[in-house]
Amino acid sequence: MIRIILFLLLIALGAAGAAWIAEQTGDVVLSWGGYRVQTTLPVFVLALGIVIVVAMMVWAIVRGLWRTPARLRRNRRERRLARGRHAITQGLLAIGHGDSSAARFHADAARKHASHDPLALLLHAQSAQLDGDRDGAQRAFRAMAEREDTRLLGLRGLFIEAQRADDPVAAVMLAEEALKLSPSSSWASHAVLGFCCAKGDWAGALKILDNNQSAGLIDKATYRRQRGVLLTARALELEKVDRDLARESVMEAVKLAPTLVPAAALASKFESEAHQVRRSMRLVETAWLAQPHPDLADAYAHVKLGDAARQRLVRVETLAAKTPGHIEGALAIARAAIDASEFAKARAALEPFIAAPTQRVALLMAELERTEHGDSGRARAWTLRAVRAAHDPAWTADGYVSDRWRPVSPVTGRLDAFQWQTPVAALPSDKGPAIESSPFEEAMLATPRRAVVIAPPEPVNEPAAEPAPTKPESSAAPAETTAPAAQDNTPPAAVAAEPAPAEAARPEPVVEPTPPPQKPAESAPPQPAPLFRSRRDIPKAVPVPIPAVIPLVRAPDDPGVDEDGPPDEFAEQIGPPKAQAGGWRGFLSRWGGS
């Protein structure tokens, strides 16, 4: 609307100016050499306008003709760039959905039409990586690293290729160079930080961590936690070398990360050695409330050097009371109670976890049976149960389980990756247990109900020709009167049959009395007691007499070897044909055959 109004105003002004010029009177005389031109003012203005318009048209035509070659070159270059950008776009899309042949085709087209475009170099490098051409990818990344605008991207590509080639030295050198170019590069700082931690350069790791915090790569809470982790790692390494520096490092670490278990345990140890018992106990209690751990319980038990076992037990009970019901508290009490010979307290602490024990619970129960009663059989049963029991929490990072805490994950190089948790392989599954519990284990761990004296079996004479038929329910002996054979180490006394917990809850079946067997004229010698119990759910089958000669019977799908079958003249000869005999024997055989 504004443009229309302005256009109308412009037309009005032009018309007003033309009318004003037309109303003017007077003549215009132009004298040039011997020529004299005289005209009125309106005609002169009109002629002057026509001359100006013609001159402008001529200038436009001349300028267009002059700029035509440059315009053609520009148009050709723009078309090439458009084709190159189209090839780059299609190539990146092909790389995205994993089409290596299309990516390679578009990479060649992009390199042909837009060879100086950084995206063309990136497309060429990624297509080579997709094809598995490491040499081509390295050449492309090296060309990118030589350019000013793509140097950081080229260094990152070379860093990835060095990692794939398992060349950590070259990878770290590239990361350090990239870190010099861009201190805010997260991947370079992460790589150099992991390398410093791997070689134990804690001072360099702390410096890089400070740079990350100043560059804004990590927040303040993460910085405090990671600095505490690095200081704890340095303190653990220098614990037996430079105790002063180790103490200084771990004290700063426990201030930055008070819930870090290794820092709290080591700081408590240093404080207890300095006779700062209250401070040592506070450090352990703070970490224990966040994450109960056996190292914390051990440090809490030994805050006073030289205490008796009963005093340590009382102290551990105080610590476990802060987290009631936690398994780590129960295990710590059981451990201290066994050391103090308070076996009743140890059993009471482990009682809630016996139904589904972990490995440490089962091992403590085995030690308790061996120490309190000297019962090697029940101790062995608990040890066997520990093999199949659920795993206890351990230091785990990225699927890697370690026996001790580490500052960096050995799989990914991530800082503060280890967590005290149950390993992945020990998590519950919907599948059944791979190893079922053995009858020996159930019998040893079951609570004895009553002892039954097994009388020696009466001699039973059976006819040799035809065995007497038996019933599946009446012929089986009751559970209380049948027991497995005694072991070699059992005393020659009454054997107590301890039923399994599942069988103890069942009602005892009513067994009909069996009629006494008929004794033949000649009594057979007494037979030994049965070695295994007879199954009640499987009836005894009548024994089949074994023939004197066992015939060889082929399986239904076994074709066998027919030695007397008719020869097949078309059968393939396995061995080489027999050579014809020579000499007088060959002559006689040929002459006789003819």
Side-chain angles (χ1 to χ4, degrees):
M1 186 67 182
I2 297 177
R3 293 182 180 179
I4 296 176
I5 295 175
L6 293 177
F7 181 73
L8 293 177
L9 290 176
L10 183 63
I11 292 177
L13 291 176
W20 181 79
I21 294 174
E23 293 176 356
Q24 299 297 323
T25 58
D27 297 332
V28 176
V29 178
L30 178 62
S31 177
W32 187 7
Y35 299 95
R36 180 182 176 85
V37 177
Q38 183 177 1
T39 180
T40 61
L41 181 61
V43 175
F44 175 77
V45 172
L46 179 62
L48 182 61
I50 293 174
V51 170
I52 293 175
V53 170
V54 171
M56 291 176 62
M57 294 178 59
V58 171
W59 172 252
I61 293 173
V62 172
R63 188 180 62 178
L65 294 176
W66 180 264
R67 293 183 177 180
T68 297
R71 186 181 300 110
L72 294 177
R73 290 194 298 269
R74 185 175 62 254
N75 292 338
R76 190 186 310 113
R77 184 169 61 254
E78 290 178 355
R79 286 195 299 269
R80 290 174 60 88
L81 289 177
R83 293 174 184 174
R85 290 301 177 90
H86 178 74
I88 290 172
T89 303
Q90 297 300 321
L92 293 177
L93 292 176
I95 289 175
H97 57 74
D99 191 354
S100 59
S101 59
R104 185 171 57 254
F105 172 76
H106 291 298
D108 295 337
R111 186 169 51 181
K112 176 181 178 182
H113 297 292
S115 58
H116 298 287
D117 196 330
L119 293 178
L121 296 176
L122 179 62
L123 176 61
H124 177 65
Q126 290 188 351
S127 64
Q129 285 180 336
L130 189 61
D131 286 338
D133 185 9
R134 292 186 175 180
D135 295 336
Q138 288 182 359
R139 287 194 298 269
F141 284 125
R142 197 173 292 111
M144 296 171 66
E146 293 176 355
R147 296 180 49 163
E148 187 68 26
D149 53 348
T150 59
R151 181 172 300 174
L152 193 61
L153 183 58
L155 291 176
R156 177 171 173 78
L158 293 175
F159 170 77
I160 295 175
E161 290 300 323
Q163 282 186 327
R164 291 182 177 180
D166 198 11
D167 190 359
V169 178
V172 171
M173 292 177 61
L174 292 169
E176 289 178 349
E177 185 177 356
L179 193 61
K180 292 178 182 178
L181 292 176
S182 176
S184 61
S185 179
S186 59
W187 66 269
S189 62
H190 177 76
V192 177
L193 180 62
F195 179 74
C196 292
C197 294
K199 68 178 182 179
D201 184 10
W202 307 117
L206 290 171
K207 182 179 178 181
I208 294 175
L209 188 64
D210 294 338
N211 294 335
N212 293 343
Q213 198 272 338
S214 60
L217 298 179
I218 54 177
D219 54 1
K220 187 176 181 180
T222 306
Y223 168 75
R224 291 174 61 88
R225 175 74 180 188
Q226 292 184 356
R227 183 173 178 83
V229 169
L230 293 177
L231 290 173
T232 304
R234 183 171 68 177
L236 290 173
E237 183 177 347
L238 300 178
E239 181 182 2
K240 298 181 180 179
V241 180
D242 190 350
R243 296 184 64 85
D244 295 335
L245 182 58
R247 177 185 173 84
E248 180 183 354
S249 300
V250 76
M251 287 306 169
E252 183 182 356
V254 81
K255 291 179 181 178
L256 295 173
T259 60
L260 187 61
V261 173
L266 185 58
S268 174
K269 179 180 178 181
F270 280 121
E271 292 293 345
S272 62
E273 291 178 356
H275 303 287
Q276 300 293 334
V277 179
R278 290 292 182 182
R279 191 178 302 175
S280 176
M281 295 173 65
R282 284 198 301 268
L283 292 176
V284 175
E285 289 171 358
T286 304
W288 178 270
L289 291 175
Q291 178 64 67
H293 194 273
D295 292 346
L296 297 175
D298 184 70
Y300 199 81
H302 295 85
V303 290
K304 287 185 179 181
L305 303 179
D307 278 356
R310 294 182 183 273
Q311 295 174 342
R312 294 197 299 267
L313 174 59
V314 173
R315 195 176 298 117
V316 168
E317 288 177 346
T318 304
L319 180 65
K322 297 182 180 299
T323 55
H326 201 280
I327 187 174
E328 291 295 341
L331 291 174
I333 293 176
R335 176 73 269 167
I338 293 176
D339 295 339
S341 299
E342 296 286 346
F343 303 114
K345 289 186 177 181
R347 289 185 182 275
L350 297 177
E351 183 67 27
F353 308 99
I354 291 179
T358 61
Q359 292 181 351
R360 291 168 59 195
V361 172
L363 291 177
L364 283 175
M365 287 298 299
E367 184 179 356
L368 186 60
E369 295 292 347
R370 187 182 299 107
T371 306
E372 182 181 6
H373 301 296
D375 193 346
S376 60
R378 294 178 68 86
R380 190 182 306 112
W382 275 109
T383 306
L384 292 176
R385 195 170 180 180
V387 176
R388 295 183 293 270
H391 290 267
D392 291 280
W395 290 115
T396 307
D398 301 323
Y400 178 83
V401 180
S402 176
D403 56 345
R404 58 184 179 87
W405 176 84
R406 297 184 180 184
V408 182
S409 170
V411 180
T412 59
R414 184 164 52 95
L415 186 63
D416 192 22
F418 277 91
Q419 301 294 330
W420 182 255
Q421 60 186 1
T422 305
V424 179
L427 294 179
S429 175
D430 54 351
K431 300 181 180 179
I435 303 177
E436 298 179 355
S437 58
S438 61
F440 169 76
E441 176 187 337
E442 295 180 356
M444 292 300 299
L445 298 180
T447 304
R449 187 174 61 180
R450 63 177 181 269
V452 180
V453 180
I454 304 301
E458 297 180 0
V460 180
N461 299 328
E462 296 182 356
E466 182 179 0
T470 59
K471 297 181 179 180
E473 297 295 335
S474 62
S475 62
E480 288 79 1
T481 59
T482 306
Q487 300 179 0
D488 296 338
N489 56 356
T490 55
V495 182
E498 300 175 358
E503 297 179 359
R506 298 178 183 174
E508 298 181 1
V510 180
V511 182
E512 299 179 359
T514 57
Q518 299 179 359
K519 297 183 180 181
E522 297 180 1
S523 60
Q527 298 181 358
L531 185 60
F532 299 99
R533 298 184 182 182
S534 57
R535 293 285 297 272
R536 298 182 183 179
D537 54 342
I538 302 178
K540 291 184 178 180
V542 179
V544 181
I546 301 176
V549 179
I550 300 177
L552 297 177
V553 181
R554 294 178 181 174
D557 56 345
D558 184 12
V561 180
D562 194 358
E563 299 177 355
D564 299 333
D568 187 6
E569 60 181 353
F570 298 100
E572 182 180 2
Q573 296 182 358
I574 304 302
K578 295 183 179 180
Q580 186 176 5
W584 60 274
R585 293 182 179 179
F587 174 76
L588 292 178
S589 64
R590 290 193 296 272
W591 181 69
S594 61

